[in-house]
Amino acid sequence: MSNDGATVAVKLFLDKEKQRVLLAESDNDFVDVLFSFLTLPLGTIVRLLGKQSGAGCLDEVYKSVESLSIDHFQTKACKAMLLSPLNAAASQCGQLKIRIDDTNPRKVGICSNRRCPGFSYSSVPDAVCKNCGTGQTFAEHPQIVHTSVAYSGDGGFVTSGIKLIITDDLHVSPASASIVFSLLDKFGLHAEPAILLLKRALISQQALTGLFFDAAVTPDAVNLDQLPENFIQQPKHPEHKFDPIKIKPIQTKDDASVLYAEAGQDFVDLIFGLLSIPLGSIIKAYGQWSPNGCIDNLYRNIAGIGHISECKELLIAPKLAPHFGCSINALHVKELDTRHLKVKC
């Protein structure tokens, strides 16, 4: 959500005759919002876009978690973790002028049993104390800070005070004085269009044009279900290997399509676990997002512009929030060490 209704100024260079955005010019505030997309867990993206993200079948995965009863999960908290996963970069994202993720990382539960032998806390609703089994009392604690780096900046990912150029398909580069355009317009960006921009970045190569001219949100003419060529990878390290997962697909008589599949807990854990993985980690693992989106252009441009040095790793290899990892970690996404969660009592 936006902070106190704040907006970010963006200059658009337009071809009004063709109704197309040629490029945008902005300072670090706008690019910080774009880069923050990479830190969002997939489940958060689906939720923010009203389960209409257009990102393959992730919407249906999210709906499946919603519809399953608590009896199908190990604990009530497990379901809550999948539907509202935390962002391991919440500390940085929370300081942006525009925040599109409404998750409150400072709201934590602390064991309500004063006789509990050990201090226990959780950022997930409906969790119980691991020491005594007592329910936890949830409240907002301003002293709670999630951080995966020794952060010393004043908010955001990109160095402040610089001008940047953003193309329609979200390539980002330092502004050049040699770029001259005859058409110029301005608009203000706040939380709602920022969320719409996220959706367009996932499914279109003309994210800015679609946002500014309010074009219909339809995927480009590329198969959304097409997998990258390097989708199936061999683990580089022996410790990353995991046991094969077996499923039994039920096909039509002509084998043209799969009706459904019978699978065990391990396969369902793998699928549901995707909801807690940050978008940037998906791009890191496979080198791209869907070929008809442009969100991966943001990822590729990270090395080419000025950053607060401590934040670069948050964007290149975003981590899972503490305790949001799954036993089946096919993408080898690291979990934020709980030592980086600071609590002042």
Side-chain angles (χ1 to χ4, degrees):
M1 304 297 289
S2 60
N3 297 346
D4 300 323
T7 60
V8 173
V10 182
K11 294 180 180 179
L12 293 182
F13 296 82
L14 307 175
D15 183 339
K16 291 186 177 180
E17 183 178 344
K18 295 182 179 180
Q19 290 198 321
R20 181 177 179 182
V21 174
L22 300 175
L23 58 82
E25 181 187 76
S26 183
D27 57 17
N28 60 290
D29 290 330
F30 178 55
V31 176
D32 277 337
V33 174
L34 295 179
F35 281 165
S36 73
F37 294 166
L38 299 173
T39 71
L40 295 176
L42 298 183
T44 298
I45 292 174
V46 172
R47 178 176 59 80
L48 290 174
L49 296 175
K51 290 165 281 190
Q52 295 180 344
S53 68
C57 56
L58 282 176
D59 297 331
E60 298 305 318
V61 172
Y62 190 93
K63 293 175 186 176
S64 297
V65 175
E66 276 188 320
S67 62
L68 285 174
S69 70
I70 299 299
D71 297 336
H72 292 90
F73 297 89
Q74 292 191 20
T75 65
K76 190 176 181 180
C78 287
K79 182 173 182 177
M81 292 172 72
L82 295 173
L83 295 178
S84 298
L86 290 183
N87 186 343
S91 177
Q92 285 72 27
C93 292
Q95 298 181 69
L96 303 183
K97 282 191 175 181
I98 294 175
R99 293 181 287 114
I100 65 172
D101 184 3
D102 55 3
T103 306
N104 186 355
R106 297 181 184 273
K107 193 171 185 180
V108 299
I110 298 177
C111 181
S112 57
N113 180 9
R114 295 188 176 184
R115 297 181 179 180
C116 180
F119 175 76
S120 176
Y121 67 89
S122 175
S123 54
V124 182
D126 302 312
V128 297
C129 177
K130 64 180 180 180
N131 296 309
C132 67
T134 304
Q136 297 184 330
T137 302
F138 258 73
E140 183 170 338
H141 294 265
Q143 295 83 9
I144 298 290
V145 178
H146 288 265
T147 177
S148 54
V149 294
Y151 184 66
S152 59
D154 57 356
F157 304 99
V158 181
T159 305
S160 60
I162 61 174
K163 290 292 183 181
L164 297 157
I165 293 295
I166 306 98
T167 63
D168 197 10
D169 59 353
L170 301 187
H171 280 285
V172 180
S173 60
S176 171
S178 63
I179 301 177
V180 179
F181 294 90
S182 59
L183 296 174
L184 174 64
D185 208 339
K186 295 183 180 181
F187 76 101
L189 184 79
H190 50 87
E192 184 176 354
I195 294 174
L196 295 177
L197 181 59
L198 168 60
K199 180 171 184 175
R200 294 178 187 278
L202 293 173
I203 63 175
S204 174
Q205 288 285 338
Q206 294 184 316
L208 294 178
T209 292
L211 180 67
F212 183 79
F213 289 104
D214 197 24
V217 183
T218 56
D220 290 342
V222 179
N223 185 1
L224 267 178
D225 299 322
Q226 180 180 349
L227 296 177
E229 293 181 1
N230 63 335
F231 184 82
I232 300 177
Q233 305 178 78
Q234 295 297 327
K236 296 181 180 180
H237 304 288
E239 64 270 20
H240 287 161
K241 292 184 178 180
F242 54 92
D243 295 332
I245 297 175
K246 297 181 180 180
I247 63 173
K248 182 180 179 181
I250 308 300
Q251 299 175 286
T252 57
K253 288 184 178 180
D254 57 2
D255 289 340
S257 61
V258 175
L259 296 176
Y260 64 92
E262 296 178 356
Q265 174 188 341
D266 50 1
F267 182 71
V268 177
D269 282 346
L270 173 65
I271 298 301
F272 283 177
L274 293 174
L275 296 176
S276 64
I277 296 178
L279 176 59
S281 294
I282 300 292
I283 300 173
K284 176 178 181 290
Y286 300 122
Q288 68 177 76
W289 181 247
S290 173
N292 53 317
C294 59
I295 192 75
D296 44 334
N297 289 336
L298 291 175
Y299 187 89
R300 298 190 189 104
N301 294 152
I302 290 172
I305 64 173
H307 296 81
I308 298 172
S309 58
E310 303 96 325
C311 293
K312 188 173 182 179
E313 191 68 16
L314 290 177
L315 302 173
I316 293 178
K319 296 180 180 180
L320 295 163
H323 311 299
F324 276 74
C326 180
S327 58
I328 301 177
N329 188 3
L331 300 185
H332 320 308
V333 181
K334 295 182 179 180
E335 186 176 321
L336 179 63
D337 195 321
T338 53
R339 289 176 296 178
H340 293 297
L341 178 63
K342 302 176 182 178
V343 183
K344 292 183 179 180
C345 298

